[in-house]
Amino acid sequence: MRLDQKLIAQMIAPGSRVLDIGSGDGSLIDHLFRERGCDARGIEIDMQEVTRSVAHGLPVVHGDADHDLAHYPDESFDYVVLQRTLQAVERPREVLRQMLRIGRHAIVSFPNFGHWELRLKLLTNGRMPNTTVWNTPWFATPNIHPCTIRDFLALCSDELYRVIDWMAIDEEGERAPWRRSIRLANLFGEQALFLLGRNEPACRDGGRK
Amino acid sequence: MEARTLTDQPDTPPEVDHQRAVFPEGLSLDCGALLAPVEIAYRTYGKLSEAGDNAILICHALTGDQYVAETHPVTGRPGWWERMVGPGRPIDTDRFFVICSNVLGGCMGSTGPRSPNLSRPAFDAREDGDAVHEPWGTEFPPITIRDMVRAQHTLVQRLGIKRLFAVIGGSMGGMQTLEWAATYPEMVFAAIPIATAPFHSAQNIAFNEVSRQAIFADPDWRGGRYWESGSIPARGLAVARMMAHITYLSEEALTRKFGRRIRRQSASAETSGDLEHPLSFFGEIFEVESYLRHQGSSFVLRFDANSYLTITRAMDWMDIGAEHDGDYAAPFVGTRTRFCVVSFTSDWLFPTSQSRVLVRALNRAAANVSFVEIDSDKGHDAFLLDEPDFDRTIRGFITGAAEHAGLHIGPKL
């Protein structure tokens, strides 16, 4: 399991119901079931990963964040997790809404486009930056909706989401030290991890079908 | 292959005494009729654990039967799912107690249209004094997939099993699996519907109707009372099977197996005027034709035409949302069953889109679901054939479910 998945697992209360969107090889849901006694399930778009997960006895369905979340009932999970995928979905705002409709909490990690290396490369080369995190050319990248940590916070504020916890993490998934200042985190954090909740679930109109 | 043609009357299949459970009290059917007595033919493999918690029920498809994992007593062929069921197989008979019964309405020992109709007075007495009853024939009451499941339920209870660890089946067997999970949710820990759908599509009803019309059109069918003449509607049933068999394959599989290859007809067929093959030039036919004819003519040896009519009709009525205004989630709300839905890419009879309808409905019901689409070019029949990814999926899901069920049988967990 990646280091940032360990950080995610630590955010999740033992024994809770978890949906992991983009569950990959299923290591997070496997960990949550075995170590934390969670009812953890996955959605994965890559059929080979799905087959591998199910063949390991993990409850994973083939599907994706954009099209399959609408079919889950309200509050069917305590936590809905989206790892390193938000920047690649068709409608990130709608996906977040769905996550916080079907889950009481959302855990979201994404690569931070505000990292200094990207800023510097764009400034000096005048071309789309290429780094270890952002390593596909612009015409081939699946990352159609990149954002910075500050962009994400602005969206959370627009949508009235409660930021319960957040942290910057480096590419290895190690927790980075930029906790006190969002601006510093936005400059030096390669990835970001957020634990979100709804502010006033009853007051949000349109949130329920 | 024998030089038998579709118009020949087949030899009478050997009489086989199938293992049966008898229920004199009978069964109340969805149509309102009481069918009594009911006999259910079944086979079991492996050993029931002391806790009675390791039973897996296998539901067979339209033309399958209870002989899952052993040589078939009528055809002499291997069991239809020996690849999947047996010692060390994905459904491991060293660990699980496996049950498979012939469906209600079937013709391999369970009560069906070929069974004597005791509701009518005996029309004659034999020399030994026993009353002789006519078979049910087309008077056999219409049954549903749920009726089949109710019959299995009485059998499972008779076997002393309070909860099934798993119910599994492909195609019509998958429909039964879904009905099990919907009708007896507390009795099904895990359900594995394969290559199936929560409803029978208009296209599939249409195919079934062509099959039925082929049987009706055979003069030997005689309004369903073919026992009176001692013949069977072999040609109609064979054509029904040939047509249906095409829907079980895929264009790719047919091309791979047969392409446009031709073969020479046997000499006997040529000299006999060859009414069978009026379109053949110089006694040559396409291999795919020959294959289908063989499928048709061997099928009539083991299957009853009226059973075929009854069971295809039961499939047509399958719509698990029908009593819930078309809501496929409603029958599963509150379920604690773990589901594993499997479809195949080249299956055009029960395409993945229909499995996805099921999966989304199960998600709406907040059920625990796994869903895999297996990449295969073998069409609907892929679930009966060699597909390593499919085997791995079933083995893994069953092992995982056994862990969740707290089953500890043998060292393989």
Side-chain angles (χ1 to χ4, degrees):
Chain A
M1 194 164 73
R2 294 195 316 261
L3 289 165
D4 57 323
Q5 290 181 315
K6 284 204 172 127
L7 296 174
I8 291 173
Q10 284 162 14
M11 288 177 161
I12 291 170
S16 40
R17 299 163 300 167
V18 184
L19 179 66
D20 184 10
I21 307 164
S23 52
D25 64 2
S27 48
L28 178 64
I29 54 175
D30 193 35
H31 173 85
L32 289 172
F33 163 62
R34 286 179 196 290
E35 307 298 324
R36 299 181 87 81
C38 292
D39 174 2
R41 311 173 188 179
I43 299 182
E44 171 57 44
I45 196 167
D46 180 343
M47 190 53 84
Q48 281 191 325
E49 296 274 42
V50 178
T51 309
R52 197 175 309 154
S53 299
V54 177
H56 280 106
L58 301 169
V60 174
V61 299
H62 181 245
D64 69 78
D66 281 306
H67 301 103
D68 290 291
L69 300 186
H71 300 283
Y72 289 86
D74 294 355
E75 297 208 13
S76 37
F77 297 95
D78 299 308
Y79 299 88
V80 179
V81 181
L82 186 69
Q83 304 171 55
R84 301 189 178 194
T85 307
L86 186 70
Q87 76 285 352
V89 303
E90 281 171 29
R91 294 168 298 158
R93 185 157 74 168
E94 178 60 21
V95 168
L96 280 172
R97 282 178 184 163
Q98 289 290 349
M99 288 173 72
L100 280 161
R101 176 184 67 80
I102 66 181
R104 287 168 49 232
H105 301 99
I107 297 177
V108 185
S109 76
F110 57 89
N112 173 28
F113 206 77
H115 189 259
W116 67 268
E117 210 183 338
L118 294 158
R119 302 193 200 189
L120 185 66
K121 281 192 168 162
L122 183 57
L123 184 70
T124 54
N125 295 342
R127 296 190 55 188
M128 285 302 282
N130 207 322
T131 67
T132 45
V133 182
W134 303 88
N135 51 15
T136 37
W138 64 272
F139 49 82
T141 182
N143 302 321
I144 51 176
H145 290 118
C147 71
T148 71
I149 290 176
R150 291 186 64 205
D151 289 330
F152 186 78
L153 280 165
L155 179 65
C156 290
S157 142
D158 277 0
E159 296 280 302
L160 303 177
Y161 298 146
R162 191 157 58 95
V163 179
I164 299 167
D165 195 6
W166 70 274
M167 63 188 73
I169 44 182
D170 66 20
E171 177 52 11
E172 276 72 53
E174 209 74 84
R175 188 175 180 149
W178 324 105
R179 250 202 98 77
R180 297 214 185 96
S181 159
I182 286 170
R183 281 176 184 275
L184 284 179
N186 196 29
L187 193 56
F188 294 110
E190 286 171 307
Q191 312 255 353
L193 176 59
F194 282 80
L195 171 62
L196 307 177
R198 271 169 288 176
N199 244 339
E200 291 293 331
C203 298
R204 270 179 71 228
D205 57 345
R208 283 168 184 267
K209 283 196 171 172
Chain B
M1 200 191 306
E2 296 161 47
R4 226 163 46 72
T5 66
L6 291 178
T7 40
D8 285 350
Q9 279 297 318
D11 306 328
T12 316
E15 279 294 320
V16 176
D17 195 15
H18 304 284
Q19 179 185 4
R20 287 186 180 94
V22 182
F23 303 92
E25 70 281 10
L27 202 66
S28 290
L29 303 176
D30 270 334
C31 67
L34 174 74
L35 183 63
V38 165
E39 297 188 349
I40 298 298
Y42 69 101
R43 295 294 296 158
T44 65
Y45 310 88
K47 209 167 157 249
L48 188 63
S49 65
E50 275 183 25
D53 57 1
N54 68 332
I56 296 182
L57 177 73
I58 297 178
C59 304
H60 69 72
L62 168 59
T63 65
D65 52 45
Q66 66 273 35
Y67 297 102
V68 181
E70 64 192 297
T71 304
H72 198 287
V74 176
T75 66
R77 291 172 54 82
W80 58 269
W81 226 12
E82 283 194 9
R83 261 192 48 264
M84 187 62 77
V85 186
R89 299 290 160 96
I91 298 172
D92 189 346
T93 50
D94 287 340
R95 299 171 58 200
F96 296 104
F97 179 63
V98 174
I99 310 160
C100 185
S101 65
N102 187 214
V103 293
L104 187 71
C107 52
M108 207 53 76
S110 290
T111 300
R114 204 154 64 180
S115 308
N117 180 359
L118 302 184
S119 68
R120 294 216 157 190
F123 65 86
D124 199 359
R126 292 202 305 238
E127 279 174 17
D128 55 12
D130 278 357
V132 176
H133 292 265
E134 280 197 321
W136 279 97
T138 54
E139 285 182 32
F140 191 74
I143 56 165
T144 62
I145 299 290
R146 189 161 55 184
D147 290 330
M148 296 176 184
V149 166
R150 288 195 186 107
Q152 290 160 354
H153 178 251
T154 56
L155 172 68
V156 166
Q157 284 188 317
R158 171 74 59 89
L159 295 174
I161 294 161
K162 293 196 170 59
R163 187 175 77 159
L164 292 163
F165 164 65
V167 180
I168 181 171
S171 197
M172 188 183 85
M175 293 177 165
Q176 294 162 62
T177 304
L178 291 175
E179 285 286 10
W180 259 100
T183 312
Y184 306 106
E186 298 304 320
M187 278 188 72
V188 184
F189 182 79
I192 313 176
I194 302 159
T196 192
F199 58 90
H200 213 216
S201 69
Q203 176 173 273
N204 289 2
I205 295 169
F207 282 131
N208 274 352
E209 175 59 5
V210 176
S211 284
R212 288 188 290 260
Q213 289 297 336
I215 294 169
F216 297 153
D218 188 330
D220 281 331
W221 186 61
R222 294 169 203 273
R225 301 178 62 82
Y226 40 85
W227 62 84
E228 289 177 342
S229 65
S231 59
I232 61 163
R235 181 165 194 130
L237 186 58
V239 170
R241 174 63 170 179
M242 289 166 74
M243 204 277 309
H245 199 81
I246 301 168
T247 68
Y248 304 153
L249 305 174
S250 67
E251 189 187 357
E252 220 174 329
L254 284 172
T255 305
R256 179 160 40 75
K257 275 171 102 164
F258 309 108
R260 295 184 46 78
R261 283 192 301 279
I262 50 176
R263 62 181 293 158
R264 225 179 139 66
Q265 276 293 100
S266 63
S268 64
E270 270 180 80
T271 50
S272 66
D274 201 9
L275 289 169
E276 274 297 293
H277 319 115
L279 297 179
S280 72
F281 295 103
F282 311 112
E284 285 174 335
I285 60 165
F286 288 99
E287 277 196 1
V288 64
E289 295 176 283
S290 161
Y291 168 78
L292 281 182
R293 285 171 192 172
H294 175 66
Q295 290 295 328
S297 57
S298 57
F299 181 62
V300 301
L301 295 173
R302 64 177 178 92
F303 219 86
D304 175 57
N306 284 333
S307 253
Y308 198 85
L309 300 174
T310 297
I311 298 174
T312 54
R313 203 66 185 141
M315 287 182 83
D316 292 351
W317 284 114
M318 172 67 179
D319 181 358
I320 212 156
E323 290 171 7
H324 307 275
D325 296 324
D327 178 3
Y328 296 113
F332 301 108
V333 167
T335 184
R336 287 183 299 177
T337 301
R338 296 173 76 88
F339 289 85
C340 181
V341 180
V342 183
S343 68
F344 297 90
T345 48
S346 55
D347 184 350
W348 56 284
L349 195 63
F350 290 93
T352 293
S353 56
Q354 291 173 14
S355 285
R356 214 175 278 282
V357 169
L358 171 63
V359 169
R360 287 178 170 166
L362 290 169
N363 281 337
R364 280 204 302 284
N368 187 313
V369 196
S370 298
F371 168 45
V372 175
E373 182 192 37
I374 303 290
D375 194 9
S376 165
D377 71 353
K378 300 192 178 96
H380 181 60
D381 264 356
F383 80 93
L384 299 168
L385 305 170
D386 182 36
E387 287 292 352
D389 271 352
F390 175 51
D391 297 356
R392 270 194 288 277
T393 300
I394 299 301
R395 187 190 292 273
F397 175 78
I398 286 177
T399 306
E403 191 180 346
H404 281 270
L407 251 62
H408 300 290
I409 315 143
K412 285 172 189 166
L413 284 178

